[in-house]
Amino acid sequence: MQHEGPINQADPAFFDTPVLQDSFQCATGGQNIRNLLTTIIGQIDARCHGADDLARNAEIVLAEVLNNIEEHGYEGRAGGQIKLDLKVFDDRITVQTTDFGQPMPGLQLPVQSLPDANGACEDLPEGGFGWFLIHTLAPEPDYKRRGRTNILNFTIRNL
């Protein structure tokens, strides 16, 4: 028997298995988003000892993404379905969200700029920081619209 290539050299992806892999479903409305977020972060905390920064980054990004789906995709209506697929690795968390809400304007993700913060404190915007946070903590999110379905993929890493 003849062997080609180096001996004992394994594909690194073979060993890169998630410490947590799960799928979640949630309907919009009421406390559903908050309950889903609490469940997910609890599972990450339980499985990823010493990854507090990664869990906190995930909480921020997931809260922004899920709230955007509820507020903008489903226009605040209760009963909109959200599916979330999660894989947690030692150094990152990959997420795919799927929903049937309105498409992103222009079928593209919002830019990662901050709203104008010049002026008096009472005139500062209350919102508009979400996509900046998402792009900062999960660089290069990927959005696709397939038929009536929105699909958002992103990876959260420690900074």
Side-chain angles (χ1 to χ4, degrees), residues 22-40:
D22 209 341
S23 292
F24 304 87
Q25 291 194 15
C26 172
T28 59
Q31 289 290 318
N32 294 341
I33 298 289
R34 171 55 52 194
N35 294 343
L36 174 62
L37 188 59
T38 301
T39 298
I40 291 170

Side-chain angles (χ1 to χ4, degrees), residues 23 46 55 60 67 72 83 89 123 134:
S23 292
I60 292 166
N67 284 324
H72 302 291
K83 182 180 180 216
F89 299 86
D123 296 330
I134 293 167

